[in-house]
Structures are given as C-alpha cells and as structure tokens.
Amino acid sequence: MYKVVVVEDERLVRQGIVMETEWSLMDCVVVGEADNGEDGYEIIKKYSPDLVITDIKMPKMTGLEMMERLRDEDIMPYVIFLTAYDDFVYAQQAIRLNTVDYLLKPFKDGQLEETIRTLLEKTQKRREAEKEKNPELQLKKGDKSKYIEDAIAYIDDNYANPELSVKAVAEHLRISEGHLSHLFRKETNFTVMAYVTNCRIRAAKNLLKDYTYKVYEVAEMVGYRDITYFGMIFKKHVEVTPSEYQDRHR
C-alpha cells in the first residue's frame, strides 16, 4: 500500500482528510499526521511516505520550507499542497518540489480523492512503461527514489540528444553529478551513461529493423554523431555490426 502523511494546522481540515477519505479503496494508508511543519518534517523522515498532503502556511515551518528541507536530505515523496487562494503564487513554487498538484481550500468533496487517484494512475503507468521499455532495468524492491524515477524518465525522453550527459541529467534534477551517479548505481546497478547507452542501442535496433533508414541515419537519430563509434558500441552490445543486424531483419 502507498504510505501517506498529512500535515495541516487546521484540526478540522486535518481530521476530515484523515478520517473521511476512503484510503483503503485507493490502496493507501495514513501512517502519520502533524499540525505544524517541524513535526511534519520529523514524521516524514521517520515513515518515508510515498505521498505527503500538506498545507503551505503553518506554524514553526511552512509546507514549502518543510519540503525544501526534506529535498536537501534526498527525501522526495510526491506532494499535494493545500492552499488558500491568496497563497496561489506560493503554490507555483511546488513545481520544483516534485508536487503532484495543489488544491485550493476549501476543496470540494471528492476532489482530493480524484487528485490522489490521478497520481496513482500516473505512477503505475510510468512503472509499467519503464518495465516495458527497459526489461533489464529493475529497481530494487522497496526503492522509490523520486530522483531516480525522474532521471530515468528524463533519459528516456532525451537519449537522442548527443549532448546528453551526467551533468545534464543532474542539472535537470538540481542535484550534484556525484550524488546522482551514486544514487543511480545504488538503485539500478547501472551507471548513468551505461543506461543512456542501453536506451540508444535499444532504439537503434528498432530503427534498423525498418530498413528504409541507413545506418548513419540511425546513428544520428539515437544520439551518435560519429558513425564509427556508433558501430563499435553497437557491436559490443549486440555482437554484430549495425549493417549485419539490419540485413538479418530484411
């Protein structure tokens, strides 16, 4: 089940979310709650939830400050911010905090559940897509690092860019290259660039099966400017040259 923490200083709002939401029907369970940002920070560190539902303006520490602090410690759950209309500008900062959504208070009945269901559907589709596209890439059971999920998604979308590098991925995630490299290897058993290469070779194999493309065109389409280097990398992974592979699938 997905673990949820609710951080909200308005007691009735918090109790309504915790007690009246049909969590079990969404395969979720509330593992903790808090009425201020400092306590919320400690509870989130303790339980490592998949989802945090938090107000923005709270005593001791705001919801934004709480999530920034957790981000600095590599704790990256999905987030739904609850905000009054006057705080809308602050909610926009949520984009860089891996926010799923934000809800304006008071939100309507069913609106929170709809937002959570949308999140779960997106999460499931992403995981299924990663399995289908990357059968050799298996995240260790229990690992739910948002950094690595985002890194994989970014690479899958940008592997054809010849400028793609560890630095580019790290800058997209706003973390250091060293930290990205460490996390990626720890959670996937791949280096970042080894995974990039696998994505490129997998795409190249599919393109070569369509014999209307020339080998040099395929090389460019998957991110290689140097056709000789592409041929060398392809043969290393597939054990035949690109031309030989293409001939086999005519």
Side-chain angles (χ1 to χ4, degrees):
M1 298 187 79
Y2 295 89
K3 295 184 293 183
V4 181
V5 166
V6 179
V7 188
E8 166 63 66
D9 62 315
E10 294 183 50
R11 182 175 60 84
L12 292 179
V13 174
R14 186 178 70 257
Q15 289 180 345
I17 293 172
V18 173
M19 303 300 295
E20 297 177 16
T21 304
E22 296 181 331
W23 296 108
S24 61
L25 296 182
M26 297 184 290
D27 198 30
C28 293
V29 59
V30 176
V31 295
E33 59 180 286
D35 61 5
N36 65 79
E38 284 189 1
D39 290 347
Y41 165 78
E42 296 296 338
I43 289 172
I44 293 167
K45 282 187 64 176
K46 179 179 180 180
Y47 290 107
S48 298
D50 303 291
L51 172 65
V52 172
I53 300 171
T54 180
D55 196 2
I56 288 183
K57 284 190 174 181
M58 294 184 293
K60 300 182 180 180
M61 185 187 298
T62 70
L64 289 171
E65 290 170 340
M66 178 182 71
M67 297 314 303
E68 284 277 17
R69 187 171 172 186
L70 289 162
R71 179 191 177 99
D72 289 342
E73 298 185 31
D74 303 329
I75 301 171
M76 298 286 288
Y78 291 97
V79 187
I80 297 175
F81 276 112
L82 309 178
T83 177
Y85 180 77
D86 290 343
D87 301 326
F88 179 76
V89 66
Y90 297 106
Q92 293 176 316
Q93 297 179 38
I95 293 174
R96 62 192 180 90
L97 292 172
N98 295 295
T99 298
V100 177
D101 210 337
Y102 55 86
L103 295 177
L104 296 178
K105 295 193 295 184
F107 44 86
K108 300 176 182 178
D109 288 345
Q111 196 171 2
L112 178 61
E113 289 89 343
E114 181 181 350
T115 301
I116 295 170
R117 286 193 181 95
T118 299
L119 157 66
L120 300 183
E121 288 175 4
K122 288 180 179 178
T123 301
Q124 186 61 32
K125 285 179 181 179
R126 170 176 282 190
R127 289 175 178 172
E128 290 174 356
E130 286 171 4
K131 276 188 178 180
E132 183 177 338
K133 290 190 292 184
N134 313 306
E136 73 280 4
L137 179 63
Q138 297 293 329
L139 293 181
K140 297 174 183 177
K141 186 176 181 180
D143 283 339
K144 300 180 186 299
S145 169
K146 188 64 167 60
Y147 279 133
I148 301 308
E149 287 186 2
D150 286 352
I152 290 170
Y154 184 74
I155 293 169
D156 287 345
D157 290 339
N158 294 276
Y159 66 83
N161 180 357
E163 302 299 330
L164 185 62
S165 63
V166 177
K167 180 180 180 181
V169 179
E171 287 180 349
H172 172 73
L173 298 177
R174 299 185 181 180
I175 61 176
S176 71
E177 294 178 51
H179 188 51
L180 170 62
S181 296
H182 172 73
L183 281 179
F184 205 93
R185 184 61 177 266
K186 176 183 177 182
E187 296 190 24
T188 70
N189 293 322
F190 279 78
T191 66
V192 174
M193 293 312 297
Y195 178 69
V196 171
T197 298
N198 280 348
C199 288
R200 288 172 170 171
I201 296 302
R202 187 183 309 109
K205 288 166 67 177
N206 290 331
L207 290 168
L208 287 167
K209 291 176 184 177
D210 182 350
Y211 56 86
T212 57
Y213 294 114
K214 299 183 183 300
V215 171
Y216 78 85
E217 291 176 323
V218 171
E220 292 176 352
M221 292 168 72
V222 299
Y224 291 100
R225 293 194 180 105
D226 187 333
I227 188 173
T228 302
Y229 182 68
F230 166 65
M232 180 183 70
I233 295 298
F234 189 93
K235 186 172 183 179
K236 179 180 178 182
H237 282 75
V238 188
E239 298 183 344
V240 294
T241 68
S243 296
E244 289 170 338
Y245 185 86
Q246 191 172 52
D247 288 341
R248 290 181 180 182
H249 292 84
R250 285 184 181 277

